[in-house]
Amino acid sequence: MKSWIILFCVVFSQVECIQDFPALDDIRTKTPSYRQADTVKELIRRLIGPRSSDFDVTVDPTIGVTNKDTFKLVNVGNRVLISGTTGVAAAWGFYYYLSQYCNCHVSWGGDQVSIPVQLPKLPSGGVTVTSNDRFRYYQNVCTVSYSFAWYNWTQWEREIDWMVLNGINFALAFNGQEAIWQRVYLKMGFTQAEIDDHFGGPAFLAWFRMGNLRGWGGPLPQSWHVQQVSLQHKILQRMRDFGMVPILPAFNGDVPNALTRLYPNAKVTHLSDWGGFNSTYCCTLLLDLNDPLFKTIGKAFLDEYIKEFGTDHVYNTDTFNEMSPPSGDPAYLSGAGKAVYNALTAADPRAVWVMQGWLFLGTGFWTAERVKAFVTAVPLGKMIILDLFSEVQPQYKRLQSYFGQPFIWCMLHNFGGTMSLYGSVNSVNTGPFFARSLANSTMIGTGLSMEGINQNYVMYEFMLENAWRSKPRNIINWVQNYSMRRYGSFDSDITYAWKKLMGSAYNCTKGGYEDHGPEVIISRPRLYHPIQPAVWYDPKDVFIAWDHFIHAANKFQSSKLFKYDLVDLTRQSLNLLSISLYHSMIEAYNKKNFSLFLQSSESLLTLLLDLDDLLATDEHFLLGRWLESAKSLATNERERQLYEYNARNQITLWGPSGNILDYASKQWAGLVEGYYYPRWQKFVTELLHQWNDTFNEKQFNYDVFKYVEEPFTFSRSLYPTVPTGHQIDVATKLYKRYRPMATTELSSLFNHLAHTSDSWARLKEKLLYVKVSGMEFMLG
């Protein structure tokens, strides 16, 4: 039996954190209970329409344990009464009933809310659930750019509904801050041009805010500021109406370069280069945290922000993100921590500082001594640390529960919003219980800290349940119930498929695969140092899961979520098959096996076009939606061009010259055919041109950037925003075409493709004539 099954039996005792933090008592909702209850009722109406009359909601802070959330469910006649300590708790209780009693499911990819005609009965006396911790946290500072950059109010309303249904009560709310900074900087004497040079573009604001870069993707139009301020008011109002606690932004020391014009004696340093950006965009100016001006600017920003939006007394700021401080002296670091906190309390004496613990990972700089000096400079309980990557690289144990400061156990899981199947389910299953059980643990919550959403939803639902589960779960039983909720009924094929996936792709236990990349398809092609995709599992398990999904497909013709998952699983299967084709092509080139090279390269290019056809069948995999969402926020043609460029650049070059190339890659219809395919086509063509010479990879990199990658970012080509084709039909066709590759010789597959592929005909339309050793041939 595999070890991941054995681990189900590990049980951690529920140990209350010894540490108590009265300083956190200010972090609670100020919204009247009746308003919270009404807001939950409105959510229920949005989600289930007329069936909302089957539910009633009350909010009563006295029904539960202090500093935790509780909900109670009872039958009253044919209806269900939901009571919660907050609106969040009540919404959470509603979804608990839907998922645990009605087999319903709400997710980023869609909903399955087929509620039985007669509501299922609860146990006599009802059901009471209390959260394990004080907080359920949501977002990464990067999520606002990788996923929410172009969100309008309709999308934000849906996202906030999803948050509270899952019990999230503590979330970042970052919109509109550049508008506030503009006001502050203009009052200080900066010119508009100096401010424009400082702000990053809409798709890159996360890294501007952390001080990693400046100006890239900008300038921000004034219409952007107006829109974002209006949007932030709606976001904060809705969060507060639910009883959530929004986390607002604060000053981290990053300032415009022109600060020295206004304050020539200010103590400043240029931070080191980040991401290989040139001097136009890199090396932002950092105001020394111990300079008195730091407190002045920090207070001015918060004063203006609170005046505009109000406050819940919780603020996030991250200094030294992925950059080392100018000094490692513990005294300096202690002073830096005090300075940030003092800037907060100068504006809000009840302020609590929330910081990402990401800076403590992967560097020799942040020794235990230095971390202790930095975090203990803030009064205990006045800093909350997000242990950002707890499922893979937890820091709370190394740092003794952050030397007494409260922390939140977070699942990071995703980088850049990429889409490969991935998870560390065993760690997520046991990690929070272990962290709570440590002596003197200061854990106060669980959280989701992914860089991008809309991928691998199974891992997020699994993690979210840690907020109320009393012990680790039997993963096999859990995923069977998950699939029933997600698709609306039980199916043995689907249960077996998910069992295979949870024991393979979703059970990464090997080090070195934390960022689960790269993939062949989305990587810039190369001959030397071939691409080595991250595959920590037996691909056979994914192919077997694919078998069972296809076998069950007819039963789930009407399930949107099944069809979404079928497309996603087929996408992953094609990615796995691309590895064999790529390495066969490289080996054939190195051995000068001309016929095998042609077969391998043509088959790889065909697979790319087939993948694009597959992705085009589902609305969640369309490039056009991302681009049109960006353009929809523009008020004139110049803004449309700027926003579209931002949207295209982030998911491809990520910088002016491919600085963080393909980090935020997406496997979307339109992007595959319009960007990845031409890149691979050019690679194959250049290898053929240089068949009898040494391949010049440096020249290829230059050419593919100049003729494929950069032109794509400036292109204004339109892409569909509605799907074409049927998910099951296309997935089944590709299954019949490609599944044999997993069990037969590659040469058999080539012959099969040459005679059956629809995409083969399209490939032949893009003919390239190449001479090798005097022989002329054509290649798509």
Side-chain angles (χ1 to χ4, degrees):
M1 186 176 288
K2 293 183 178 180
S3 60
W4 66 279
I5 298 176
I6 296 172
L7 280 173
F8 298 153
C9 301
V10 177
V11 177
F12 296 97
S13 59
Q14 285 294 94
V15 178
E16 290 291 328
C17 294
I18 295 174
Q19 300 289 338
D20 188 25
F21 299 99
L24 297 178
D25 290 346
D26 283 333
I27 306 178
R28 60 182 74 253
T29 181
K30 297 180 287 234
T31 303
S33 295
Y34 75 87
R35 180 59 192 142
Q36 295 180 58
D38 287 346
T39 306
V40 177
K41 292 174 186 177
E42 292 163 4
L43 179 160
I44 295 173
R45 281 193 288 271
R46 282 192 295 275
L47 185 63
I48 61 173
R51 293 301 303 271
S52 61
S53 62
D54 292 340
F55 299 88
D56 198 9
V57 177
T58 65
V59 171
D60 181 356
T62 68
I63 66 171
V65 180
T66 303
N67 295 327
K68 293 186 179 181
D69 267 328
T70 296
F71 60 80
K72 294 184 177 182
L73 310 173
V74 294
N75 288 118
V76 179
N78 293 324
R79 303 172 74 223
V80 172
L81 172 63
I82 307 162
S83 303
T85 48
T86 63
V88 173
W92 194 14
F94 168 65
Y95 187 56
Y96 180 93
Y97 180 78
L98 286 189
S99 61
Q100 303 303 310
Y101 286 88
C102 301
N103 276 330
C104 293
H105 180 80
V106 177
S107 71
W108 294 323
D111 305 332
Q112 190 285 110
V113 288
S114 298
I115 301 173
V117 174
Q118 184 171 353
L119 291 181
K121 288 294 183 180
L122 293 157
S124 59
V127 171
T128 300
V129 174
T130 296
S131 64
N132 291 325
D133 312 293
R134 186 189 291 246
F135 295 121
R136 280 82 57 202
Y137 167 80
Y138 184 57
Q139 291 187 55
N140 182 300
V141 295
C142 298
T143 320
V144 295
S145 291
Y146 284 135
S147 296
F148 304 149
W150 316 115
Y151 266 27
N152 57 30
W153 170 240
T154 300
Q155 292 164 303
W156 267 113
E157 181 177 55
R158 163 76 185 188
E159 190 70 16
I160 295 169
D161 284 354
W162 175 86
M163 291 183 207
V164 296
L165 288 169
N166 286 284
I168 292 165
N169 64 348
F170 201 47
L172 298 183
F174 273 18
N175 293 65
Q177 59 184 284
E178 283 69 38
I180 306 303
W181 274 119
Q182 179 174 254
R183 296 178 197 172
V184 171
Y185 287 147
L186 288 172
K187 288 178 182 178
M188 291 176 64
F190 289 94
T191 67
Q192 188 62 53
E194 290 168 338
I195 296 170
D196 288 344
D197 286 344
H198 184 55
F199 290 159
F204 302 98
L205 287 175
W207 302 277
F208 155 72
R209 292 166 180 170
M210 289 185 284
N212 298 130
L213 48 77
R214 60 187 177 86
W216 172 244
L220 288 176
Q222 291 306 307
S223 64
W224 174 268
H225 297 311
V226 172
Q227 289 173 348
Q228 294 303 303
V229 168
S230 174
L231 184 59
Q232 179 73 337
H233 275 291
K234 293 178 181 178
I235 291 168
L236 290 174
Q237 186 65 57
R238 183 59 56 83
M239 285 183 170
R240 289 166 177 161
D241 283 350
F242 275 123
M244 291 180 69
V245 176
I247 304 167
L248 304 180
F251 181 47
N252 68 353
D254 173 39
V255 291
N257 277 356
L259 181 80
T260 53
R261 176 182 66 80
L262 297 171
Y263 300 91
N265 297 321
K267 187 177 180 181
V268 296
T269 56
H270 280 284
L271 291 171
S272 58
D273 180 20
W274 180 88
F277 283 79
N278 62 34
S279 59
T280 303
Y281 306 113
C282 86
C283 314
T284 53
L285 199 64
L286 180 70
L287 177 62
D288 192 281
L289 280 63
N290 293 306
D291 189 308
L293 187 58
F294 183 95
K295 182 176 179 179
T296 301
I297 296 176
K299 181 180 185 303
F301 172 74
L302 276 190
D303 284 343
E304 191 70 32
Y305 201 94
I306 293 169
K307 178 182 176 183
E308 180 70 42
F309 297 116
T311 186
D312 296 85
H313 310 297
V314 190
Y315 309 93
N316 166 260
T317 183
D318 293 302
T319 301
F320 312 130
N321 179 67
E322 297 183 358
M323 299 183 190
S324 296
S327 171
D329 184 347
Y332 172 84
L333 296 171
S334 178
K338 288 178 183 176
V340 174
Y341 178 68
N342 288 340
L344 297 176
T345 56
D348 181 359
R350 299 160 66 186
V352 174
W353 176 11
V354 175
M355 67 165 290
Q356 293 193 149
W358 181 252
L359 73 166
F360 302 137
L361 277 73
T363 172
F365 179 88
W366 287 103
T367 62
E369 179 188 21
R370 288 170 173 169
V371 173
K372 184 176 183 179
F374 187 59
V375 303
T376 59
V378 177
L380 289 185
K382 285 295 188 175
M383 170 186 277
I384 298 173
I385 300 168
L386 305 174
D387 196 80
L388 211 66
F389 205 5
S390 299
E391 83 275 25
V392 175
Q393 294 185 40
Q395 299 298 300
Y396 62 85
K397 189 173 182 181
R398 173 177 81 90
L399 300 174
Q400 301 174 43
S401 282
Y402 291 99
F403 306 102
Q405 293 288 18
F407 75 91
I408 294 177
W409 198 102
C410 295
M411 181 184 82
L412 199 162
H413 180 263
N414 178 268
F415 294 87
T418 54
M419 301 167 66
S420 299
L421 301 190
Y422 168 78
S424 298
V425 69
N426 262 330
S427 177
V428 172
N429 197 25
T430 60
F433 298 95
F434 174 78
R436 290 191 197 101
S437 72
L438 289 177
N440 300 313
S441 174
T442 58
M443 179 177 163
I444 59 168
T446 52
L448 301 178
S449 56
M450 66 283 120
E451 288 191 350
I453 66 169
N454 298 319
Q455 40 73 34
N456 292 298
Y457 190 77
V458 65
M459 287 303 304
Y460 294 87
E461 180 141 324
F462 190 86
M463 174 61 194
L464 285 162
E465 289 189 9
N466 279 325
W468 60 268
R469 291 285 185 178
S470 61
K471 61 183 180 180
R473 283 140 289 179
N474 180 309
I475 298 175
I476 293 176
N477 291 344
W478 183 89
V479 80
Q480 175 177 308
N481 292 329
Y482 170 83
S483 64
M484 288 174 60
R485 297 192 300 268
R486 190 161 169 86
Y487 309 137
S489 63
F490 170 80
D491 183 87
S492 58
D493 275 303
I494 294 303
T495 297
Y496 189 76
W498 273 109
K499 173 184 172 182
K500 282 293 185 182
L501 293 174
M502 295 305 278
S504 57
Y506 289 116
N507 187 36
C508 182
T509 58
K510 297 181 180 179
Y513 294 98
E514 297 86 50
D515 57 357
H516 47 91
E519 298 277 8
V520 165
I521 288 170
I522 56 87
S523 298
R524 178 187 279 176
R526 58 181 186 260
L527 176 67
Y528 309 118
H529 306 292
I531 302 161
Q532 298 295 337
V535 182
W536 55 89
Y537 53 90
D538 186 346
K540 180 176 67 176
D541 289 334
V542 171
F543 293 134
I544 290 173
W546 194 20
D547 295 337
H548 287 271
F549 259 76
I550 291 293
H551 191 261
N554 286 335
K555 179 178 178 179
F556 294 101
Q557 289 275 354
S558 62
S559 171
K560 291 183 178 180
L561 286 167
F562 173 83
K563 289 182 282 190
Y564 171 95
D565 289 345
L566 177 61
V567 170
D568 201 29
L569 181 56
T570 304
R571 176 202 58 74
Q572 185 73 16
S573 299
L574 295 184
N575 272 266
L576 288 171
L577 297 176
S578 73
I579 300 171
S580 297
L581 294 173
Y582 165 67
H583 283 283
S584 175
M585 180 178 72
I586 296 303
E587 182 180 8
Y589 180 86
N590 288 332
K591 293 182 177 181
K592 301 306 176 186
N593 184 332
F594 187 68
S595 60
L596 180 59
F597 177 85
L598 287 182
Q599 291 172 335
S600 302
S601 58
E602 290 183 349
S603 296
L604 178 59
L605 292 171
T606 300
L607 183 146
L608 283 162
L609 294 177
D610 284 338
L611 175 61
D612 198 86
D613 284 346
L614 169 75
L615 299 172
T617 64
D618 193 286
E619 63 181 350
H620 300 92
F621 298 91
L622 301 179
L623 170 63
R625 295 182 74 199
W626 171 255
L627 298 182
E628 293 307 316
S629 292
K631 290 186 284 185
S632 70
L633 300 183
T635 62
N636 56 49
E637 182 58 27
R638 185 174 181 180
E639 290 175 9
R640 273 188 287 276
Q641 283 186 283
L642 176 67
Y643 294 172
E644 182 171 4
Y645 177 77
N646 268 253
R648 286 171 176 263
N649 184 275
Q650 187 208 86
I651 60 175
T652 54
L653 291 177
W654 212 124
S657 55
N659 305 70
I660 314 178
L661 183 67
D662 299 319
Y663 179 85
S665 61
K666 304 293 184 293
Q667 294 183 41
W668 287 338
L671 191 60
V672 173
E673 185 172 21
Y675 180 75
Y676 300 129
Y677 175 86
R679 225 167 39 172
W680 280 99
Q681 183 186 47
K682 185 166 186 59
F683 179 65
V684 169
T685 303
E686 291 304 318
L687 288 176
L688 286 167
H689 275 299
Q690 300 176 53
W691 187 262
N692 292 324
D693 300 313
T694 301
F695 180 64
N696 188 338
E697 193 157 276
K698 183 177 180 180
Q699 183 63 43
F700 167 75
N701 290 338
Y702 173 83
D703 289 343
V704 79
F705 172 81
K706 183 177 180 180
Y707 298 112
V708 177
E709 295 168 344
E710 187 177 46
F712 175 85
T713 65
F714 288 109
S715 173
R716 304 301 305 281
S717 298
L718 298 176
Y719 293 91
T721 57
V722 295
T724 56
H726 191 276
Q727 297 102 314
I728 292 176
D729 290 346
V730 176
T732 301
K733 180 176 68 174
L734 297 183
Y735 173 82
K736 291 177 180 178
R737 180 175 300 158
Y738 287 102
R739 183 59 175 95
M741 183 178 178
T743 52
T744 63
E745 294 295 323
L746 207 55
S747 57
S748 300
L749 175 68
F750 297 142
N751 185 58
H752 175 73
L753 284 173
H755 291 90
T756 63
S757 174
D758 295 338
S759 297
W760 196 265
R762 284 190 294 152
L763 196 62
K764 294 299 184 184
E765 292 175 3
K766 301 182 178 183
L767 301 181
L768 292 173
Y769 289 90
V770 183
K771 278 191 174 182
V772 177
S773 301
M775 180 173 61
E776 188 176 74
F777 61 94
M778 60 186 179
L779 178 70

